Amino acid sequence: MRNVDFSVVHDAQLLKIELRNNYVELLFKLVDETVFIVILDGIERMLCNSFKEGNTILSADVINDSSKCSILLNKLFELNEAEKNENPTYLLKIKEKINSQELVVFHLSPSYGCELIALCKRVVTG
């Protein structure tokens, strides 16, 4: 995966989330009115909360280091406090896959509206 500068989506609007067979397409309208598409390919798991009219993006990040995404993974898998402390085996395997670049975490943080956390094989722009 090439490095993508996701700073362009700061203050953009998330207009559409389209679920396909094994991928998700996100459509953004940037501040300059251009359209920016992000494809989350090979979706393993996704959490999307509070999609609203006028979704405004604070930041978007691709995380490929498990030490930097533990809180997001806890949220994605809806772990309770006991599970967070146990470090379930399946979560340890997912962290290994993140560290070996088999999977990445995509995080869309809102200024207003939708927060999205996705565990997928790759993130591409189109």
Side-chain angles (χ1 to χ4, degrees):
M1 180 183 75
R2 63 175 199 217
N3 288 335
V4 177
D5 180 10
F6 283 105
S7 67
V8 297
V9 300
H10 176 70
D11 284 342
Q13 287 191 330
L14 176 61
L15 299 178
K16 178 173 84 169
I17 301 171
E18 189 167 341
L19 305 173
R20 300 288 182 136
N21 288 335
N22 198 24
Y23 70 93
V24 173
E25 184 178 287
L26 306 174
L27 179 72
F28 299 91
K29 183 172 77 172
L30 303 180
V31 174
D32 67 3
E33 302 292 318
T34 59
V35 172
F36 187 75
I37 297 172
V38 174
I39 296 170
L40 308 176
D41 190 31
I43 289 286
E44 299 271 328
R45 190 170 184 106
M46 186 173 89
L47 176 70
C48 183
N49 291 331
S50 301
F51 188 72
K52 301 175 181 182
E53 184 175 347
N55 293 286
T56 305
I57 306 308
L58 177 62
S59 64
D61 297 294
V62 176
I63 305 162
N64 55 14
D65 179 347
S66 68
S67 68
K68 297 179 181 176
C69 63
S70 290
I71 292 171
L72 295 174
L73 290 173
N74 290 345
K75 201 172 195 180
L76 180 64
F77 286 92
E78 301 176 300
L79 300 182
N80 63 37
E81 288 304 314
E83 291 169 321
K84 289 176 190 175
N85 293 328
E86 290 172 8
N87 258 333
T89 304
Y90 69 88
L91 196 56
L92 293 174
K93 288 180 182 178
I94 287 169
K95 288 179 178 182
E96 286 175 16
K97 288 183 177 184
I98 291 169
N99 288 334
S100 68
Q101 311 300 303
E102 293 175 59
L103 294 172
V104 297
V105 173
F106 179 78
H107 183 225
L108 190 63
S109 180
S111 293
Y112 170 79
C114 182
E115 177 182 34
L116 187 144
I117 304 168
L119 182 65
C120 58
K121 291 185 178 168
R122 64 189 185 121
V123 177
V124 294
T125 59

